[in-house]
Amino acid sequence: MFNGFKEFLLRGNVVDLAVAVVIGAAFNTVVERVVDSLFNPIIGMFFRADSLDQALTVALPGGGTLAFGAIIGALINFLIVAAVVYFVFVMPMNRLRPKAEEAPAGPSQEELLAEIRDLLAAQQNRGTAPPETTAHKH
């Protein structure tokens, strides 16, 4: 019972997953700090509020409040996080990663069929018909 559990834990993909979770948490902290300290103050300046959570609110007659600013802020934060991740991390990593060499393209299906046709025609011109298979003999 413990041997199976030990094998499961020592598999490469489980260790890789654990490392990815830890790195992801650290990475999330960096992205949050960039968004909170750089982009959110700029956005708040345009809406004249400390944060979008207090901007564009509509009071309801029953005492509740619709916070359109919070929804817009969440969408903007998502776009900002996606942009920061892409431009600060993904794009530079793609430039550093060596490009895979493309395999030489083989002949197309049409070219292969034309070759087969030509080979069959050459066999027929020499008087040697292609050998029949046992499935065609009756």
Side-chain angles (χ1 to χ4, degrees), residues 15 50 88:
V15 174
D50 290 336
V88 175

Side-chain angles (χ1 to χ4, degrees), residues 44-119:
M45 182 177 67
F46 286 110
F47 287 97
R48 294 186 178 96
D50 290 336
S51 73
L52 285 174
D53 291 341
Q54 289 103 24
L56 302 172
T57 58
V58 175
L60 296 174
T65 306
L66 296 177
F68 291 109
I71 295 169
I72 293 170
L75 292 172
I76 291 172
N77 281 344
F78 171 77
L79 292 174
I80 291 170
V81 168
V84 168
V85 167
Y86 181 77
F87 291 110
V88 175
F89 297 102
V90 174
M91 204 167 74
M93 289 301 292
N94 285 341
R95 287 188 182 158
L96 293 175
R97 186 175 298 145
K99 296 188 187 230
E101 293 183 27
E102 292 182 24
S108 68
Q109 283 186 341
E110 290 81 13
E111 292 169 337
L112 288 174
L113 289 172
E115 256 183 70
I116 293 170
R117 180 200 61 212
D118 295 343
L119 287 171

Side-chain angles (χ1 to χ4, degrees), residues 111 123 137:
E111 292 169 337
Q123 279 183 343
K137 290 184 183 179

